Amino acid sequence: MDKEKFTTQCLEHFRRVSEQALQEQRLFLCRILKKNEQTELGKRYGFSQIRVLADYQKKVPVSEFSDYDQIIERQIQGEEGLLFPEAPVFYCISSGSTGIPKYIPLCREDVEKQHIYEDGAVCAIIRESMPELSWQEIFGTVFETGEFFCTYMENGIMNGVRSGAYFRYARESGLLDISGYSAPGEVLFPPVLEDMQYVKIRFALEQETLTGIHCVFPNRLAGILYFIEKHWDALLHDMECGTVSEEFMVKPEWKTYLQEKLLPNPERAKNLRKIQKTKLGNQMIRKIWPKLKYIRVIGGELFQPYMKKIKEYAGEIPIHCFAYASSESIFGIGPYVNQPDQYVLLADMCFFEFLPEKEADAVPMTFAEVETGKKYELLITTLSGLYRYRIGDVVEVTGFYGQAPIIRICYRKNQILNLADEKMDLSQFESAMEQFQEEGCFQAKGYCVDGCYEDGRPFYRLYLETEEELPQDAETRLDQCLMRKSHGYEGARKIRELSKARICMIPSGTFDAYEKWEKNRGRRMEQRKPLRILMTEEQKNFFRNLNERMERE
């Protein structure tokens, strides 16, 4: 396949669809209803009788995952024609509210369109931003930071995270060309869920002519860059000698693999040693890889601490915040490089409805009705059989790209923290805390949690008020409870994208003092809910500066 020609065609498709987005949305909904009218859900809701949007909104209720879990389980067991007519090609794994993973089935068209947008159109947007450079200069060798684990359902259908869906599908179909990546296929597609960070870094450091870095979530990229800075001398020693230092805790089979694949490279190590560790941090990426042209990552305001750190390492290297997506679908892509928090909604990927923020009884709106500057909760109808599905995202329309809204993500409802794509919600956290107190034989007078980023890796900090003594292994117990209650948290811990949770004991009376502080700021307390999540900077600063405040008072 002519990759450059393909990406140009994908960008043309994206722009054509965006220019006529109103028509595309109407066609999308009609086509999905027609295609799926003989499925179980199609018959239940009378898809064949729906003629206009008002009928669709009247006949088909707003839904969430709990409305699909049983029918998806039947599909996993082998039944067909439930959500869409054909058999799924992939199951996305996402966190469930009970700690049990959710499996979202994807049809073939869903995965193939992910390729058109996330790979094809995004590459063309990056290419267009640097017209003076050749294709090879931009995309010659890419450091792909994701690991697309080769895991399967019991019936043999692939499963994994959404970002890896097309990679896995294309690889198993013989369509994937990995010649442009710094790491070999067996490193990109490890057989089990494990931390491959060191292995991938070693291959990337060997490539003096690296041209791009691809990552999904910025916490991972920030962690990788911090790891390189922190372990600089040991990494160069391993490169020079063709060894794997014990401090990296690499499994024996991967040690052997690296020693076979990466021979001692004293010349590259010598050149890199010219970069003193003490001067490594600022603009580190260009110092290590002088030919690097771009970074591709999901970014923006929701990931502010990580993006700040990445920009310190990147300097002037262009950063493309490339996509807005979840397990359920790809919703939008970034139309411009170096402009975070701007995603054009994809009119032929989902049918979108918009519920005005804080207007519970409002009629859902369409592309034609939303207004710039207004915030809305999204409902989606997908290619893979989710109808009027509540994903929990509140977005703001910031403009239009043709007829398609450009949005930024404001916040996610009912979600506690999303430091490493773990998507732990409030019910999971509170369930873990109940178990933690029971196992530790203590009773909390109050507790809340903050997401922190220190030493290169994010972690949860629990602020805990209790008059009882905690067990010596309290932090380990808390971490285990969180892993049991949240599949997403467990996965992030296993591949070390999250550090172990930490506990900060706070003085007796702290939560009473917090309520007094809130009341003094003019907040009405009649219908207050217990503080569980530190969301605002004011809340975070109250607890972070607690000791200093208590001394003053």
Side-chain angles (χ1 to χ4, degrees):
M1 179 177 66
D2 185 332
K3 182 79 172 183
E4 190 167 3
K5 181 178 179 181
F6 169 73
T7 60
T8 300
Q9 291 171 342
C10 291
L11 183 58
E12 291 172 352
H13 171 84
F14 164 61
R15 287 176 171 161
R16 183 172 61 253
V17 168
S18 299
E19 284 295 328
Q20 53 193 36
L22 301 185
Q23 178 183 352
E24 289 287 346
Q25 282 280 273
R26 288 191 293 269
L27 292 174
F28 180 93
L29 184 58
C30 291
R31 186 167 67 84
I32 289 298
L33 295 178
K34 180 65 177 176
K35 174 188 173 184
N36 297 337
E37 66 181 18
Q38 295 304 314
T39 64
E40 181 169 309
L41 288 187
K43 293 176 182 177
R44 179 188 303 176
Y45 297 124
F47 285 180
S48 62
Q49 304 302 313
I50 294 174
R51 296 289 181 266
V52 295
L53 176 60
D55 291 342
Y56 180 60
Q57 293 175 334
K58 182 178 180 180
K59 287 178 174 289
V60 181
V62 172
S63 65
E64 53 190 30
F65 184 78
S66 59
D67 298 303
Y68 298 89
D69 54 359
Q70 292 183 6
I71 201 168
I72 289 175
E73 180 58 33
R74 287 166 51 203
Q75 185 164 306
I76 291 171
Q77 297 305 316
E79 289 191 54
E80 297 184 0
L82 303 177
L83 297 176
F84 46 85
E86 67 271 32
V89 298
F90 195 88
Y91 280 90
C92 282
I93 305 176
S94 185
S95 297
S97 60
T98 62
I100 300 172
K102 298 189 300 186
Y103 292 96
I104 309 291
L106 302 184
C107 67
R108 188 179 306 277
E109 183 184 1
D110 199 325
V111 175
E112 290 176 345
K113 278 199 171 175
Q114 177 178 345
H115 177 46
I116 289 171
Y117 284 119
E118 276 199 354
D119 187 24
V122 164
C123 280
I125 289 167
I126 294 170
R127 172 81 176 90
E128 201 173 65
S129 72
M130 294 177 266
E132 72 283 3
L133 300 178
S134 70
W135 178 271
Q136 187 66 21
E137 286 176 304
I138 302 171
F139 302 112
T141 306
V142 172
F143 178 11
E144 172 57 69
T145 66
E147 283 105 35
F148 310 120
F149 308 105
C150 295
T151 52
Y152 300 85
M153 308 295 288
E154 289 185 6
N155 59 10
I157 296 176
M158 295 175 289
N159 66 26
V161 295
R162 178 82 201 208
S163 58
Y166 179 75
F167 280 88
R168 293 282 312 284
Y169 169 76
R171 183 173 185 258
E172 300 223 351
S173 304
L175 302 173
L176 185 63
D177 177 10
I178 61 170
S179 60
Y181 294 105
S182 58
E186 50 267 36
V187 176
L188 289 170
F189 299 94
V192 295
L193 179 70
E194 59 181 309
D195 180 13
M196 297 291 289
Q197 180 171 268
Y198 171 84
V199 178
K200 300 193 83 168
I201 287 172
R202 280 291 307 279
F203 278 99
L205 286 176
E206 292 282 330
Q207 301 288 335
E208 183 178 4
T209 58
L210 199 74
T211 59
I213 298 176
H214 289 187
C215 192
V216 179
F217 292 102
N219 62 283
R220 178 170 181 79
L221 181 54
I224 285 172
L225 297 172
Y226 176 81
F227 183 94
I228 292 172
E229 181 182 17
K230 181 180 179 182
H231 298 286
W232 184 243
D233 292 332
L235 286 165
L236 296 189
H237 174 271
D238 287 353
M239 177 185 289
E240 181 179 38
C241 302
T243 57
V244 177
S245 300
E246 290 300 321
E247 68 183 88
F248 295 120
M249 297 184 293
V250 176
K251 289 184 176 180
E253 57 266 32
W254 286 112
K255 282 187 179 181
T256 301
Y257 177 86
L258 285 169
Q259 289 166 350
E260 292 175 351
K261 296 292 184 180
L262 295 178
L263 299 177
N265 192 346
E267 187 64 27
R268 173 71 171 152
K270 178 183 176 181
N271 289 334
L272 288 175
R273 276 204 180 92
K274 295 176 183 177
I275 311 169
Q276 297 179 22
K277 183 176 180 180
T278 55
K279 298 180 180 179
L280 188 62
N282 189 41
Q283 301 187 50
M284 179 179 76
I285 296 174
R286 189 56 64 74
K287 294 173 185 176
I288 298 173
W289 298 293
K291 296 184 181 296
L292 199 127
K293 299 299 189 296
Y294 73 96
I295 296 169
R296 196 184 88 170
V297 66
I298 291 176
E301 195 171 314
L302 289 178
F303 306 100
Q304 190 173 23
Y306 312 121
M307 291 302 295
K308 180 180 178 182
K309 193 65 179 176
I310 289 170
K311 288 175 181 177
E312 289 176 9
Y313 286 126
E316 298 302 315
I317 297 172
I319 299 175
H320 187 206
C321 297
F322 71 101
Y324 168 36
S326 74
S327 296
E328 289 80 7
S329 188
I330 308 301
F331 308 128
I333 62 173
Y336 313 111
V337 173
N338 277 335
Q339 294 191 28
D341 282 328
Q342 292 196 59
Y343 299 103
V344 178
L345 295 181
L346 303 173
D348 65 340
M349 195 76 196
C350 290
F351 180 76
F352 294 93
E353 296 175 81
F354 302 80
L355 292 170
E357 184 191 34
K358 299 177 182 178
E359 294 182 31
D361 299 326
V363 176
M365 297 179 177
T366 64
F367 275 20
E369 298 165 305
V370 294
E371 299 178 47
T372 300
K374 297 290 183 66
K375 294 179 181 179
Y376 306 90
E377 181 185 353
L378 283 184
L379 304 178
I380 58 167
T381 295
T382 73
L383 288 163
S384 295
L386 302 179
Y387 305 98
R388 310 198 69 212
Y389 186 91
R390 193 169 231 145
I391 59 173
D393 285 3
V394 173
V395 304
E396 179 184 356
V397 175
T398 61
F400 290 86
Y401 189 86
Q403 294 178 334
I406 303 173
I407 60 93
R408 72 175 184 90
I409 309 162
C410 300
Y411 59 90
R412 294 185 169 104
K413 295 178 128 187
N414 304 317
Q415 188 169 294
I416 174 175
L417 290 168
N418 197 32
L419 304 180
D421 196 32
E422 71 276 20
K423 297 189 177 88
M424 182 184 288
D425 64 27
L426 184 58
S427 64
Q428 291 173 317
F429 173 63
E430 291 188 326
S431 180
M433 283 301 299
E434 288 177 12
Q435 190 174 85
F436 176 47
Q437 292 174 76
E438 182 179 341
E439 291 184 4
C441 300
F442 75 95
Q443 183 67 44
K445 294 185 67 177
Y447 62 86
C448 60
V449 69
D450 190 13
C452 300
Y453 179 76
E454 298 171 11
D455 302 327
R457 193 173 293 162
F459 61 92
Y460 290 7
R461 175 173 283 132
L462 176 73
Y463 291 95
L464 179 62
E465 180 182 339
T466 181
E467 296 179 352
E468 301 169 69
E469 188 173 341
L470 299 186
Q472 289 187 345
D473 62 346
E475 288 187 344
T476 298
R477 287 177 183 244
L478 171 61
D479 204 55
Q480 290 171 343
C481 290
L482 291 168
M483 284 193 280
R484 283 195 290 268
K485 296 299 181 180
S486 169
H487 174 76
Y489 183 86
E490 179 186 31
R493 288 286 290 121
K494 281 185 176 180
I495 61 174
R496 291 191 282 180
E497 290 197 346
L498 282 174
S499 290
K500 185 170 73 172
R502 304 179 194 179
I503 298 174
C504 179
M505 301 298 295
I506 56 179
S508 180
T510 293
F511 279 89
D512 289 339
Y514 172 78
E515 289 189 10
K516 180 180 178 182
W517 177 72
E518 284 280 66
K519 188 174 181 180
N520 289 340
R521 295 169 70 228
R523 180 177 176 184
R524 295 182 64 89
M525 308 299 286
E526 296 92 330
Q527 295 181 317
R528 67 172 182 84
K529 296 180 180 178
L531 178 66
R532 291 288 182 257
I533 313 156
L534 302 185
M535 298 294 291
T536 68
E537 282 304 311
E538 290 84 359
Q539 291 172 337
K540 293 173 185 285
N541 288 333
F542 180 92
F543 284 88
R544 289 171 183 170
N545 303 327
L546 193 60
N547 292 334
E548 180 182 339
R549 182 179 295 104
M550 296 293 282
E551 288 176 5
R552 288 202 310 267
E553 295 177 355

